[in-house]
Short mmCIF file of all heavy atoms in Angstrom, two decimals:
data_model
loop_
_atom_site.label_atom_id
_atom_site.label_comp_id
_atom_site.label_asym_id
_atom_site.label_seq_id
_atom_site.Cartn_x
_atom_site.Cartn_y
_atom_site.Cartn_z
N LEU A 1083 -90.60 4.38 117.97
CA LEU A 1083 -91.69 3.67 117.33
C LEU A 1083 -92.75 4.54 116.69
O LEU A 1083 -93.51 4.16 115.84
CB LEU A 1083 -92.39 2.77 118.37
CG LEU A 1083 -91.71 1.41 118.67
CD1 LEU A 1083 -92.48 0.62 119.67
CD2 LEU A 1083 -91.59 0.62 117.35
N GLY A 1084 -92.78 5.85 117.15
CA GLY A 1084 -93.72 6.80 116.54
C GLY A 1084 -93.59 6.88 115.05
O GLY A 1084 -94.54 6.93 114.25
N PHE A 1085 -92.33 6.93 114.66
CA PHE A 1085 -92.04 7.06 113.19
C PHE A 1085 -92.40 5.69 112.48
O PHE A 1085 -92.95 5.79 111.37
CB PHE A 1085 -90.53 7.37 112.98
CG PHE A 1085 -90.18 7.70 111.56
CD1 PHE A 1085 -91.13 8.13 110.63
CD2 PHE A 1085 -88.82 7.56 111.14
CE1 PHE A 1085 -90.72 8.41 109.32
CE2 PHE A 1085 -88.46 7.84 109.85
CZ PHE A 1085 -89.40 8.27 108.95
N THR A 1086 -92.21 4.62 113.16
CA THR A 1086 -92.62 3.33 112.55
C THR A 1086 -94.16 3.34 112.29
O THR A 1086 -94.58 3.00 111.20
CB THR A 1086 -92.34 2.16 113.50
OG1 THR A 1086 -91.02 2.25 114.01
CG2 THR A 1086 -92.52 0.81 112.78
N LEU A 1087 -94.88 3.89 113.30
CA LEU A 1087 -96.36 3.92 113.14
C LEU A 1087 -96.70 4.84 112.00
O LEU A 1087 -97.65 4.53 111.19
CB LEU A 1087 -96.99 4.42 114.45
CG LEU A 1087 -97.03 3.36 115.54
CD1 LEU A 1087 -97.54 4.01 116.82
CD2 LEU A 1087 -97.92 2.17 115.13
N GLN A 1088 -96.07 5.99 111.86
CA GLN A 1088 -96.32 6.87 110.73
C GLN A 1088 -96.13 6.12 109.42
O GLN A 1088 -96.96 6.31 108.50
CB GLN A 1088 -95.26 8.00 110.74
CG GLN A 1088 -95.68 9.23 111.38
CD GLN A 1088 -94.67 10.38 111.11
OE1 GLN A 1088 -94.11 10.49 109.99
NE2 GLN A 1088 -94.44 11.24 112.07
N LEU A 1089 -95.04 5.42 109.30
CA LEU A 1089 -94.76 4.74 108.03
C LEU A 1089 -95.82 3.62 107.76
O LEU A 1089 -96.28 3.47 106.62
CB LEU A 1089 -93.36 4.10 108.13
CG LEU A 1089 -92.19 5.10 108.15
CD1 LEU A 1089 -90.87 4.37 108.49
CD2 LEU A 1089 -92.08 5.82 106.79
N VAL A 1090 -96.21 2.88 108.83
CA VAL A 1090 -97.15 1.81 108.64
C VAL A 1090 -98.52 2.45 108.27
O VAL A 1090 -99.18 1.97 107.35
CB VAL A 1090 -97.32 1.00 109.95
CG1 VAL A 1090 -98.50 -0.01 109.88
CG2 VAL A 1090 -96.00 0.22 110.21
N GLU A 1091 -98.87 3.56 108.97
CA GLU A 1091 -100.17 4.18 108.65
C GLU A 1091 -100.20 4.78 107.29
O GLU A 1091 -101.26 4.90 106.68
CB GLU A 1091 -100.51 5.23 109.76
CG GLU A 1091 -101.07 4.55 110.97
CD GLU A 1091 -101.09 5.50 112.22
OE1 GLU A 1091 -100.82 6.69 112.06
OE2 GLU A 1091 -101.29 4.98 113.32
N ALA A 1092 -99.07 5.17 106.76
CA ALA A 1092 -99.02 5.71 105.40
C ALA A 1092 -98.91 4.56 104.35
O ALA A 1092 -98.68 4.80 103.19
CB ALA A 1092 -97.79 6.63 105.29
N SER A 1093 -99.12 3.34 104.87
CA SER A 1093 -99.15 2.16 104.02
C SER A 1093 -97.88 1.79 103.33
O SER A 1093 -97.85 1.16 102.26
CB SER A 1093 -100.27 2.24 102.94
OG SER A 1093 -101.48 2.36 103.56
N PHE A 1094 -96.75 2.22 103.91
CA PHE A 1094 -95.43 1.75 103.33
C PHE A 1094 -95.25 0.28 103.76
O PHE A 1094 -95.64 -0.13 104.86
CB PHE A 1094 -94.29 2.59 103.87
CG PHE A 1094 -94.23 3.93 103.20
CD1 PHE A 1094 -94.59 5.10 103.91
CD2 PHE A 1094 -93.81 4.07 101.89
CE1 PHE A 1094 -94.54 6.34 103.31
CE2 PHE A 1094 -93.74 5.33 101.26
CZ PHE A 1094 -94.11 6.47 101.96
N PRO A 1095 -94.60 -0.45 102.90
CA PRO A 1095 -94.38 -1.94 103.16
C PRO A 1095 -93.18 -2.09 104.14
O PRO A 1095 -92.12 -2.44 103.76
CB PRO A 1095 -94.07 -2.47 101.80
CG PRO A 1095 -93.47 -1.36 101.02
CD PRO A 1095 -94.13 -0.09 101.56
N VAL A 1096 -93.46 -1.87 105.42
CA VAL A 1096 -92.40 -1.78 106.42
C VAL A 1096 -91.95 -3.18 106.98
O VAL A 1096 -92.77 -4.05 107.27
CB VAL A 1096 -92.87 -0.98 107.65
CG1 VAL A 1096 -91.88 -0.91 108.79
CG2 VAL A 1096 -93.23 0.48 107.19
N ILE A 1097 -90.63 -3.31 107.05
CA ILE A 1097 -90.03 -4.34 107.93
C ILE A 1097 -89.27 -3.57 109.02
O ILE A 1097 -88.49 -2.69 108.65
CB ILE A 1097 -89.05 -5.31 107.19
CG1 ILE A 1097 -89.85 -6.14 106.14
CG2 ILE A 1097 -88.33 -6.19 108.15
CD1 ILE A 1097 -88.92 -7.10 105.34
#
Side-chain angles (χ1 to χ4, degrees):
L1083 279 180
F1085 187 24
T1086 313
L1087 285 173
Q1088 265 190 36
L1089 293 168
V1090 171
E1091 279 165 11
S1093 299
F1094 284 108
V1096 174
I1097 294 179

